[in-house]
Amino acid sequence: MRKLLPFPLLSLFLWLTWLLLNGFSWGHGLLGLMLAVVLPLGTRPFWPNVPHLRNFPKLVRFVLVVHWDILTANLAVARLILGSPRKLRPAFVELPLELEDDFAITLLASTISLTPGTVSADVSEDRRTLLIHALDMDDEAELVAQIKQRYERPLKEIFEC
Amino acid sequence: MLEIALPIGFGLIVVALVLNLYRLLRGPTLPDRALALDTMYINAIALIVLYGIANNSKLYFEAGMLIALIGFVSTVAVAKYMTRGDIIE
Amino acid sequence: MDTLVEFLVSAAILVGGVFALVGSFGLARLPDFYLRLHGPTKASTLGVGGTIFASLLFFSWQEQSLRLQELLIVLFLFITAPVSAHMLAKAAMHRQLRRREDTRGRPWKQ
């Protein structure tokens, strides 16, 4: 089973994508199923080592939290953009990483880019620091602590790395 | 209600596109222009989806999807070119 | 058309349009590249999200069945927007673009 489906979640995702694109019917269900098995097998060498998902309920919770934050982040950023640009306090911040897995770091960086006033700009070569640009930063320690508590810790628990 | 909301929506997005065009022409640097193009394709998707609602046709969804795919790839290619001077190493 | 659905569709269109406009306004107005990067990555993505939600609701209501195809666009944008922002930020740092004088911290050498 592991040989046939190296990435079960990816296969499920591919299958659902196929059904969404082509409509739900038996024929497309079957064709999508075939593709969902064949594509991960064919592209296997290109995939980085995806860590094992340990905690599915936590992942759902994390996704919901991030979506809520995207909504509030947009309101906050809209207010900052419409306000006076003179009042902005931009900053580059270095975030020390506790995550060790590439995939988890990617998720964290993407989350940071989508949420309040921050864009992740670079990862250091040794994967230990993340460079973040903040649109309007009050206090560096506070921002780092907030990101760590709200996003990094759940990710660490989800992937246990 | 929709007859009023649709034109307003079109208007908002067209103004957004004009602002992107301003940044695209003005620059002043290459990454700025790339960012302007990136925003432009995202706004174009919104415009196409709205057009689909206005024309009551579902075909436009696929055009939006294609623009999303191609726009992303081209932004990454341009950004990569600016950092490395090469797209495929 | 059912008034409630029509109201929701109209509201989603307006919210989406306003966010798209705010993002582009930020792009046109803010003083340096790193600041401009913030507008499009967030606001414009939500702008598309709003219009897509409107379209989803509109066609689902019209066909009286759930229609989720458009969600693919939003999903794709949510995955790709941070990546393109990241690549552009790297390019900007590589070219050592001017940043506003009061920016704290420093970008890395590429």
Side-chain angles (χ1 to χ4, degrees), chain B:
Chain B
M1 210 181 312
L2 207 56
E3 314 77 70
I4 308 169
L6 268 174
I8 297 177
F10 275 126
L12 288 169
I13 291 172
V14 166
V15 174
L17 278 166
V18 170
L19 287 172
N20 296 342
L21 190 65
Y22 163 77
R23 182 50 70 197
L24 179 68
L25 295 176
R26 172 100 194 280
T29 61
L30 210 49
D32 278 305
R33 294 177 211 269
L35 183 63
L37 273 178
D38 188 67
T39 319
M40 235 173 175
Y41 90 73
I42 294 180
N43 284 333
I45 297 172
L47 197 64
I48 286 177
V49 171
L50 276 191
Y51 195 66
I53 299 180
N55 277 10
N56 203 351
S57 155
K58 285 172 289 178
L59 285 176
Y60 295 98
F61 146 78
E62 314 211 343
M65 190 80 210
L66 279 178
I67 292 183
L69 293 168
I70 295 171
F72 168 65
V73 173
S74 39
T75 306
V76 169
V78 171
K80 183 101 181 154
Y81 177 73
M82 284 190 287
T83 29
R84 306 268 188 215
D86 215 339
I87 294 173
I88 300 171
E89 287 160 39

Side-chain angles (χ1 to χ4, degrees), chain A residues 13 17 20-21 70 74-75 77-78 81-83 85-86 88-92 94 110 113-115 117-124 129 131 133-135 137-138, chain C residues 19 22-23 25-26 29-31 34-35 37-39 41-43 46 68-69 72 75 78 81-82 85-86 89-90 93 99-100 102-108 110:
Chain A
F13 183 74
T17 311
L20 277 179
L21 261 175
I70 287 173
N74 273 291
L75 292 175
V77 168
I81 288 175
L82 294 176
R86 285 270 130 233
L88 297 177
R89 294 159 294 176
F92 280 98
E94 288 182 11
S110 300
S113 291
L114 283 173
T115 47
T118 45
V119 169
S120 60
D122 205 356
V123 190
S124 64
T129 348
L131 184 67
H133 183 267
L135 186 61
M137 188 183 72
D138 211 2
Chain C
F19 272 112
V22 166
F25 187 61
R29 177 190 198 200
L30 292 173
Y34 301 103
L35 289 173
L37 197 54
H38 288 272
T41 44
K42 300 188 189 71
L46 200 73
L68 296 174
Q69 291 189 359
L72 280 176
L75 190 70
F78 272 21
H86 184 92
K90 270 181 94 98
M93 288 194 295
R99 56 191 190 282
R100 219 168 81 171
D102 60 346
T103 306
R104 284 165 287 169
R106 328 175 36 81
W108 292 343
Q110 292 289 313

